[in-house]
Amino acid sequence: MAPFNLKMVVSIAMVASMVFGSSAIQHTVGDASGWVIPDNPNLYADWTSNKIFTVGDSLVFNFPNGTHDVTKVSKDDYVHCHVSNRGSTVRSSPAIFNLNRPGSHFYICSVEGHCAFHQKLAIHVVGG
Ligand SMILES: *[C@@H]1O[C@H](CO)[C@@H](O)[C@H](O)[C@H]1NC(C)=O
């Protein structure tokens, strides 16, 4: 009886960890569209709308090297497509950003004109 119960406990624990476990998710920005100047101005807003971003997750931006970059910016820079901090620009694809902190996070392509044409992403990250 005891080995059977132990097996039960172990399998229940495994199922519970699959259901409730906080395994990190890699979110591929724009899914198959990747990180582009979108034809649809709402592409990235639509992409975020059915997702939950949790501390520990990461964003993966895919683009052909040399065409775009990913620059993490302030909300104000996101709104105005301005870059006041060059430190966070990643030019190599895939560009991976770990979501280490809860709150709002903003990303743009800093190549001239791209952000103005809606290559920009705003997400809200919840605590893990
Ligand atoms: C971009 O360049 C990096 C560094 O050379 C390389 O590892 C990566 O595979 C390249 N990405 C693409 C999408 O070609």
Side-chain angles (χ1 to χ4, degrees), residues 63 65 92-93:
F63 53 92
N65 283 340
S92 180
S93 169

mmCIF file of all heavy atoms in Angstrom, residues 63 65 92-93, ligand 1:
data_model
loop_
_atom_site.group_PDB
_atom_site.id
_atom_site.type_symbol
_atom_site.label_atom_id
_atom_site.label_comp_id
_atom_site.label_asym_id
_atom_site.label_seq_id
_atom_site.Cartn_x
_atom_site.Cartn_y
_atom_site.Cartn_z
ATOM 1 N N PHE A 63 14.664 39.321 -36.155
ATOM 2 C CA PHE A 63 14.751 40.205 -37.329
ATOM 3 C C PHE A 63 16.050 39.886 -38.052
ATOM 4 O O PHE A 63 16.993 39.367 -37.439
ATOM 5 C CB PHE A 63 14.721 41.680 -36.885
ATOM 6 C CG PHE A 63 15.754 42.028 -35.847
ATOM 7 C CD1 PHE A 63 17.004 42.510 -36.219
ATOM 8 C CD2 PHE A 63 15.489 41.852 -34.489
ATOM 9 C CE1 PHE A 63 17.967 42.822 -35.268
ATOM 10 C CE2 PHE A 63 16.462 42.165 -33.528
ATOM 11 C CZ PHE A 63 17.701 42.653 -33.922
ATOM 12 N N ASN A 65 19.627 40.441 -39.155
ATOM 13 C CA ASN A 65 20.693 41.349 -38.677
ATOM 14 C C ASN A 65 20.898 42.497 -39.658
ATOM 15 O O ASN A 65 20.898 42.299 -40.861
ATOM 16 C CB ASN A 65 22.016 40.579 -38.538
ATOM 17 C CG ASN A 65 22.055 39.718 -37.286
ATOM 18 O OD1 ASN A 65 21.307 39.940 -36.337
ATOM 19 N ND2 ASN A 65 22.948 38.736 -37.287
ATOM 20 N N SER A 92 21.904 42.540 -32.545
ATOM 21 C CA SER A 92 22.042 41.173 -33.030
ATOM 22 C C SER A 92 20.755 40.388 -32.751
ATOM 23 O O SER A 92 20.200 40.453 -31.664
ATOM 24 C CB SER A 92 23.238 40.530 -32.328
ATOM 25 O OG SER A 92 23.406 39.208 -32.763
ATOM 26 N N SER A 93 20.296 39.673 -33.764
ATOM 27 C CA SER A 93 19.071 38.880 -33.649
ATOM 28 C C SER A 93 19.412 37.407 -33.474
ATOM 29 O O SER A 93 20.340 36.926 -34.127
ATOM 30 C CB SER A 93 18.230 39.079 -34.904
ATOM 31 O OG SER A 93 17.175 38.149 -34.963
HETATM 32 C C1 LIG B 1 23.175 37.814 -36.134
HETATM 33 O O1 LIG B 1 24.542 37.880 -35.820
HETATM 34 C C2 LIG B 1 24.927 37.077 -34.717
HETATM 35 C C3 LIG B 1 26.389 37.370 -34.395
HETATM 36 O O2 LIG B 1 27.174 37.218 -35.519
HETATM 37 C C4 LIG B 1 24.672 35.618 -35.059
HETATM 38 O O3 LIG B 1 25.030 34.799 -33.985
HETATM 39 C C5 LIG B 1 23.210 35.438 -35.376
HETATM 40 O O4 LIG B 1 22.940 34.112 -35.760
HETATM 41 C C6 LIG B 1 22.765 36.393 -36.464
HETATM 42 N N1 LIG B 1 21.321 36.341 -36.568
HETATM 43 C C7 LIG B 1 20.686 36.170 -37.729
HETATM 44 C C8 LIG B 1 19.194 36.244 -37.648
HETATM 45 O O5 LIG B 1 21.250 36.004 -38.795
#
